[in-house]
């Protein structure tokens, strides 16, 4: 079993438990709606897939190795659709779009996940992560948005580092600036096309111990909030920054 799968097994507490008070949280409230997670083979992607399935969504997960989701497939059956996709190539992204629409004929939520874990001695680059978050967001938003035909689509872009890979302040500023600029520009570009585009950024998530990570749980809650128009309304062009200390409450000011 790969390290990523071991991390996924730690995700047992429902991430939407105690979600934003007053929000819909029952499995029937979103029955038939479709959520697409791209760049999903990491702890955030796995826990997001689980949380959206629990609230009644059908979920497509795309990455180079979607076999990480085999445990969820066994439980969710046809409501989970793993797709092998290289997000750096337009042809593969367009193929995923075709497969999702052929299977379910709609997409309601699109989440792009840019994730970095430090597994080698080479220094991490905030610029590289920022470019991934930006270029993949543009690529997948364009591909899925072209098929909307008047429907609405909530797009959430996520960029996050493993807790052991914290960046220096100047590099962190580069990443945040890239996210803010791109999110704002794309929100304006697609404002009249039915797309709401927001982003979430965090640098203090423990990828090896989800159950103990307030940051990771808060990240999942933030995505649920931004993706649900009944909670966030027409909110678009915003970046939510999450950087909690281990003992912080998700709602502490």
């Amino acid at each position: 079993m790969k390290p990523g799968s071991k991390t996924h097994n730690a995700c047992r507490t429902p991430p939407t438990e105690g979600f934003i008070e007053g929000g819909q949280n029952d499995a029937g409230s979103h029955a038939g709606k479709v959520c697409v997670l791209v760049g999903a083979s990491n702890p955030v992607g796995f826990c997001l897939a689980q949380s959206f399935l629990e609230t009644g969504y059908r979920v497509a997960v795309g990455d180079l190795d979607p076999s990480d989701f085999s445990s969820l497939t066994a439980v969710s059956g046809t409501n989970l659709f793993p797709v092998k996709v290289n997000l750096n190539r337009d042809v593969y992204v367009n193929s995923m779009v075709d497969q999702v629409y052929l299977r379910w004929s709609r997409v309601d939520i699109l989440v792009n996940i840019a994730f970095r874990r430090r597994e080698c001695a080479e220094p991490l680059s905030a610029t590289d992560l920022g470019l991934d978050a930006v270029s993949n967001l543009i690529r997948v938003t364009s591909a899925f948005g072209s098929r909307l035909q008047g429907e609405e689509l909530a797009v959430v872009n996520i960029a996050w580092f493993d807790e052991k890979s914290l960046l220096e302040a100047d590099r962190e500023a580069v990443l945040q600036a890239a996210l803010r600029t791109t999110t704002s520009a794309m929100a304006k570009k697609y404002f009249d096309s039915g797309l709401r585009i927001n982003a979430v950024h965090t640098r203090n998530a423990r990828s090896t111990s989800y159950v103990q990570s307030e940051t990771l749980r808060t990240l999942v809650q933030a995505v649920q909030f931004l993706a649900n128009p009944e909670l966030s309304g027409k909110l678009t062009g915003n970046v939510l920054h999450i950087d909690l200390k281990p003992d912080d409450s998700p709602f502490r000011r």
Side-chain angles (χ1 to χ4, degrees):
M1 182 179 294
K2 297 182 296 183
S5 299
K6 292 180 181 178
T7 300
H8 297 165
N9 288 339
C11 184
R12 289 290 180 252
T13 304
T16 51
E17 183 178 355
F19 181 42
I20 300 170
E21 186 175 354
Q24 292 186 342
N25 204 25
D26 58 286
S29 61
H30 302 297
K33 291 187 176 182
V34 175
C35 173
V36 176
L37 308 175
V38 293
S41 291
N42 55 69
V44 168
F46 187 88
C47 292
L48 278 172
Q50 185 182 47
S51 65
F52 277 110
L53 288 167
E54 288 171 350
T55 51
Y57 282 87
R58 294 173 292 183
V59 178
V61 289
D63 211 319
L64 285 174
D65 189 5
S67 63
D68 283 351
F69 294 87
S70 58
S71 61
L72 279 184
T73 304
V75 175
S76 305
T78 57
N79 285 331
L80 183 69
F81 181 32
V83 181
K84 185 174 182 178
V85 58
N86 182 347
L87 296 177
N88 295 317
R89 299 286 299 276
D90 289 345
V91 63
Y92 292 108
V93 174
N94 290 332
S95 175
M96 182 179 183
V97 175
D98 291 340
Q99 292 180 65
V100 172
Y101 274 93
L102 182 63
R103 188 181 183 95
W104 289 323
S105 302
R106 65 183 294 169
V107 174
D108 301 278
I109 298 169
L110 172 62
V111 182
N112 174 63
I113 305 169
F115 165 70
R116 284 291 182 275
R117 179 191 292 120
R118 185 166 191 168
E119 297 177 336
C120 60
E122 296 180 5
L124 286 167
S125 168
T127 302
D128 289 344
L129 178 64
L131 288 173
D132 280 354
V134 168
S135 62
N136 290 349
L137 174 65
I138 293 173
R139 185 175 291 107
V140 299
T141 299
S142 176
F144 280 92
S146 65
R147 300 286 290 272
L148 283 183
Q149 298 179 345
E151 300 296 325
E152 291 192 358
L153 175 65
V155 181
V156 183
N157 192 32
I158 300 174
W160 74 292
F161 274 91
D162 179 272
E163 185 187 48
K164 297 180 180 179
S165 304
L166 300 184
L167 296 173
E168 297 175 0
D170 57 340
R171 294 184 177 184
E172 194 72 21
V174 171
L175 173 57
Q176 292 184 17
L179 289 176
R180 285 196 302 270
T181 301
T182 304
T183 302
S184 176
M186 292 190 67
K188 291 178 181 179
K189 176 180 178 179
Y190 288 102
F191 183 77
D192 295 325
S193 303
L195 277 74
R196 295 190 302 113
I197 301 176
N198 297 285
V200 180
H201 161 257
T202 183
R203 65 186 185 97
N204 193 25
R206 297 178 180 177
S207 65
T208 56
S209 56
Y210 169 80
V211 174
Q212 300 299 321
S213 175
E214 288 291 348
T215 305
L216 188 48
R217 288 197 294 273
T218 304
L219 175 63
V220 172
Q221 292 171 0
V223 174
Q224 291 270 11
F225 169 75
L226 291 171
N228 188 340
E230 295 180 15
L231 295 175
S232 56
K234 296 296 183 180
L235 188 67
T236 188
N238 293 271
V239 179
L240 301 182
H241 298 287
I242 301 173
D243 187 15
L244 302 179
K245 296 178 181 179
D247 296 329
D248 278 350
S249 163
F251 305 107
R252 181 176 296 176
R253 293 185 181 275

